[in-house]
């Protein structure tokens, strides 16, 4: 049992990792025009009406300035065949968008092709919470396509296997 005063950060991270998620790339465009993107699984829906989502970015991220400056972002939900993209955008590779098919979305932001869903958002609010910056975004446009989404649980990429015959 971990009590509050003795929390082991590694064990905490491992315990939190039991909560399975999808995998997204959050993108924007930097002031110099370069596309910017980061692999993120802190994405979640907050409100349907109005449509609001959230995600958080480590304060130390070199991509932070671009998200702050642009005031908008795109959440791309990755498909099962996009593990390589997830790895690439989780790395410090300088040219993450090199060879990545994308179109120009609202505000000129890059929207990566082949994802199961994309949500184009205007930043509603941005707030420092601990060692991360929390972003709340208003969805201005979205699209989706059929296909399995990539999952992430217990530190590993995974594929979802349905336990029911119809959606609940
Ligand atoms: C599956 C997965 C989920 C991640 N989720 C987040 C997240 O929600 N927030 C975050 O700041 N970093 C997250 N990361 C780590 C970033 O992708 C990684 O630090 C990357 O280098 C960030 O790009 P940057 O160097 O441009 O900041 C995640 C990594 C992986 C593999």
């Amino acid at each position: 049992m971990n009590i509050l005063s003795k929390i082991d950060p590694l064990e905490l991270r491992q315990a939190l990792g039991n909560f399975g998620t999808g995998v997204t790339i959050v993108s924007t465009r930097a002031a110099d025009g370069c596309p910017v993107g980061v692999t993120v699984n802190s994405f979640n829906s907050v409100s349907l009406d109005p449509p609001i989502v959230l995600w958080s970015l480590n304060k130390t991220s070199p991509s932070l300035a671009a998200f702050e400056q642009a005031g908008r972002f795109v959440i791309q939900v990755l498909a099962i065949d996009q593990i390589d993209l997830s790895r690439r955008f989780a790395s410090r590779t300088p040219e993450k968008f090199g060879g990545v098919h994308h179109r120009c979305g609202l505000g000129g932001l890059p929207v990566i092709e082949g994802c199961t869903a994309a949500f184009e958002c205007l930043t509603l609010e941005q707030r420092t919470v601990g060692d991360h910056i929390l972003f709340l975004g208003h969805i201005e446009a979205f699209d989706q396509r059929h296909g399995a989404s990539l999952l992430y649980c217990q530190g590993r990429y995974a594929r979802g296997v349905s336990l029911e015959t119809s959606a609940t």
Side-chain angles (χ1 to χ4, degrees), residues 55-143:
W55 65 286
S56 64
L57 181 63
N58 198 305
K59 271 196 226 173
T60 61
S61 168
S63 303
L64 177 59
F67 286 102
E68 289 182 327
Q69 194 274 333
R72 53 191 316 135
F73 56 82
V74 184
I75 306 269
Q76 284 113 149
V77 180
L78 298 190
I80 200 80
D81 60 356
Q82 292 181 311
I83 288 186
D84 289 348
L85 273 189
S86 175
R87 294 199 171 111
R88 179 199 278 231
F89 282 84
S91 74
R92 289 266 153 103
T93 308
E95 302 236 339
K96 291 184 184 177
F97 275 85
V100 175
H101 296 292
H102 60 279
R103 65 176 172 84
C104 208
L106 295 177
L109 264 56
V111 183
I112 297 171
E113 308 278 10
C115 302
T116 52
F119 303 95
E120 298 180 58
C121 305
L122 194 63
T123 304
L124 268 186
E125 199 176 325
Q126 152 186 346
R127 177 182 300 189
T128 302
V129 182
D131 55 10
H132 277 60
I133 307 294
L134 178 68
F135 287 91
L136 287 170
H138 182 269
I139 300 173
E140 295 195 313
F142 73 96
D143 60 29

Side-chain angles (χ1 to χ4, degrees), residues 8 11 28 32 49 51 70 77-78 87 100 161:
D8 175 337
E11 273 191 52
T28 194
D32 64 1
D49 186 15
V77 180
L78 298 190
R87 294 199 171 111
V100 175
V161 177

Side-chain angles (χ1 to χ4, degrees), residues 17-28:
N18 287 300
F19 182 64
T21 66
V23 183
T24 73
I25 291 171
V26 187
S27 60
T28 194

